[in-house]
Amino acid sequence: MRSWFRDTTGGLPATFWYLWTGTLINRLGSFVLIFMAIYLTTERGFSETQAGLVIGLFGVGSAAGVTVGGVLADRWGRRPTLITAHIGTAALLLTIGFARDRWAIMATAVALGFFMDAVRPPFQAMMVDVVPERDRLRAFTLNYWAINLGFSFAAVLAGLAARADFLLLFVVDAATTLITAAIIFLRVRDVRRPQGFARRRDAAAPAAGLRAVFSDKVFLVFVLLNVLGAMVFLQHISMLPIAMGKDGLAPSTYGTVIALNGVLIVFGQLFIPRLLKGRSRSHTLALASVIMGLGFGLTAVAGTAILYAVTVLIWTLGEMLNSPSNATLIGELSPADIRGRYQGVFSLSWSVAGFLAPVLGGFVMQHAGNAALWLGCAAVAAVVGLGHLLSGPARERRAEALREPTATPEPALAA
């Protein structure tokens, strides 16, 4: 056990642990999105359609945020972008918590989505910057573990806070966001240029840098596969609770079943790096897609809480294989000088999937039936797995061509 712990956590730079700590604290207070729909319908008198519109507007802001956040991460710097986005998020959380007018809530939702998800590209880019290539799988696994550990506790704490006062959800979420900003401000400095770094001409202009990303066919195939895979994965948020409700299961049962996802990740994710070490990433991503497809496909025959729980455990295993492999690969496919833009476009794929998953899922469920939706998810996941096998060699050649000759030095730490 001591050897496993050392292999899993040892040798990572101090800056990584500051970022990791900020992630954990922030996720422990990530209350608002969990209970947003309930808050809007019970406290603010929104209809279900209006509440869905507000959440959709959050997604619109998110799509813009990840794009702009990626550009700013390259041009302005990772650290100032992270600090500004966190402070903006905290301010908007308080704003939407105190807002009463419906139009004000809708407008604030767009801005909140923008600032909240503008964090993602600079954070991911800084993780790649400060962690040597050989340790990135471990680093992203640890960070993913922290996200799920924090989220698991947040779901419980949010329920307790909501019983006392819904406003408390927004206040605590804003406070933990500000604490994360303070950690970055006090303990992290921006990355230095790696040795041998040559600034490309297209990095000087945001539009030119984004054109470089969108002209990278190898990368765009990877992004497209992620959109398809994410559309399958996100059905657990949009269509799974509806399917369980049609089988006569209470919303609390859905909460208990979906909690198994976080529990399995918390207890099993840290063993993934040793399992994946030395294995083909393309084969790993393909296997992850097949396992997720199997889990969601079996939902077609589930009808009891136990069977739904089994399906959740199956697709969670695929998620555990997919996430760290995805994160390390995107870092290696992005040139150092426009890495933030690459992270932004990749994050955009999640925003696109977040919009398409409930729309298409609801359409298929309504017009073709429950079984057609889940069997369709299995088919899409199989296509994604085949896509990873076919496109994998080109990705690995691109990653090898972009591999830096020397390890990126760690940024200086603030005194």
Side-chain angles (χ1 to χ4, degrees):
M1 180 62 70
R2 186 180 302 140
S3 173
W4 165 81
F5 184 79
R6 183 176 59 252
D7 291 343
T8 302
T9 63
L12 293 169
T15 300
F16 163 79
W17 289 111
Y18 292 135
L19 294 172
W20 183 90
T21 302
T23 295
L24 180 60
I25 293 173
N26 199 3
R27 291 291 175 167
L28 283 171
S30 58
F31 295 167
V32 169
L33 291 183
I34 301 174
F35 275 79
M36 179 63 81
I38 297 175
Y39 166 75
L40 292 173
T41 53
T42 60
E43 293 291 308
R44 293 292 172 259
F46 280 58
S47 68
E48 288 80 0
T49 301
Q50 291 170 332
L53 176 61
V54 172
I55 296 172
L57 290 173
F58 177 90
V60 172
S62 167
V66 294
T67 304
V68 175
V71 172
L72 290 177
D74 290 332
R75 291 178 57 79
W76 191 22
R78 320 314 194 201
R79 180 175 178 265
T81 304
L82 282 170
I83 293 172
T84 302
H86 277 99
I87 293 175
T89 298
L92 289 163
L93 283 167
L94 294 176
T95 300
I96 200 170
F98 283 101
R100 298 294 184 270
D101 181 75
R102 293 188 177 185
W103 290 105
I105 291 175
M106 290 180 181
T108 307
V110 177
L112 179 61
F114 179 91
F115 278 91
M116 186 175 287
D117 276 358
V119 169
R120 291 163 60 183
F123 183 88
Q124 298 286 342
M126 181 170 273
M127 288 272 286
V128 175
D129 290 336
V130 303
V131 178
E133 181 186 337
R134 65 180 181 276
D135 296 324
R136 285 174 189 162
L137 178 62
R138 293 193 296 128
F140 280 108
T141 298
L142 285 165
N143 190 67
Y144 191 64
W145 181 82
I147 290 172
N148 282 275
L149 178 64
F151 184 81
S152 298
F153 279 99
V156 177
L157 295 175
L160 298 175
R163 289 183 180 180
D165 186 352
F166 268 102
L167 181 60
L168 191 59
L169 298 176
F170 298 90
V171 173
V172 174
D173 203 339
T176 56
T177 302
L178 286 176
I179 292 172
T180 302
I183 292 173
I184 296 171
F185 178 77
L186 295 173
R187 304 306 303 171
V188 177
R189 288 182 180 171
D190 224 336
V191 292
R192 298 174 182 146
R193 300 298 187 190
Q195 296 177 2
F197 178 87
R199 189 175 183 83
R200 290 169 18 154
R201 293 179 181 177
D202 60 8
L210 287 174
R211 280 198 299 270
V213 179
F214 284 108
S215 64
D216 187 340
K217 294 180 181 179
V218 172
F219 175 73
L220 290 182
V221 170
F222 182 54
V223 171
L224 176 60
L225 291 173
N226 190 70
V227 170
L228 294 174
M231 285 173 58
V232 173
F233 174 70
L234 292 176
Q235 296 301 326
H236 79 278
I237 297 175
S238 55
M239 293 299 109
L240 182 59
I242 296 176
M244 293 180 66
K246 288 184 175 182
D247 284 327
L249 300 174
S252 58
T253 304
Y254 166 75
T256 302
V257 168
I258 205 64
L260 294 174
N261 170 258
V263 171
L264 182 57
I265 291 174
V266 167
F267 285 99
Q269 190 69 47
L270 296 184
F271 295 95
I272 294 298
R274 177 170 287 190
L275 178 65
L276 299 184
K277 187 175 182 180
R279 299 184 185 277
S280 166
R281 284 178 298 197
S282 299
H283 291 173
T284 298
L285 290 171
L287 177 61
S289 297
V290 171
I291 293 175
M292 281 197 287
L294 177 62
F296 282 102
L298 288 175
T299 308
V301 297
T304 65
I306 293 177
L307 289 178
Y308 276 112
V310 171
T311 67
V312 169
L313 292 175
I314 292 173
W315 58 252
T316 298
L317 291 174
E319 178 190 358
M320 292 166 66
L321 294 175
N322 180 80
S323 181
S325 300
N326 247 357
T328 56
L329 189 54
I330 184 61
E332 293 185 31
L333 291 175
S334 53
D337 51 348
I338 52 175
R339 183 169 288 150
R341 291 172 173 86
Y342 269 76
Q343 294 288 350
V345 172
F346 185 75
S347 296
L348 182 62
S349 69
W350 281 97
S351 299
V352 171
F355 173 76
L356 292 177
V359 173
L360 296 179
F363 180 84
V364 173
M365 179 177 283
Q366 179 178 348
H367 294 282
N370 188 63
L373 170 64
W374 302 116
L375 294 177
C377 286
V380 172
V383 170
V384 173
L386 179 61
H388 280 303
L389 291 177
L390 295 177
S391 61
R395 287 200 302 261
E396 294 300 332
R397 289 193 297 269
R398 173 62 58 81
E400 182 64 30
L402 291 174
R403 191 161 286 126
E404 296 169 355
T406 58
T408 302
E410 182 178 342
L413 301 182

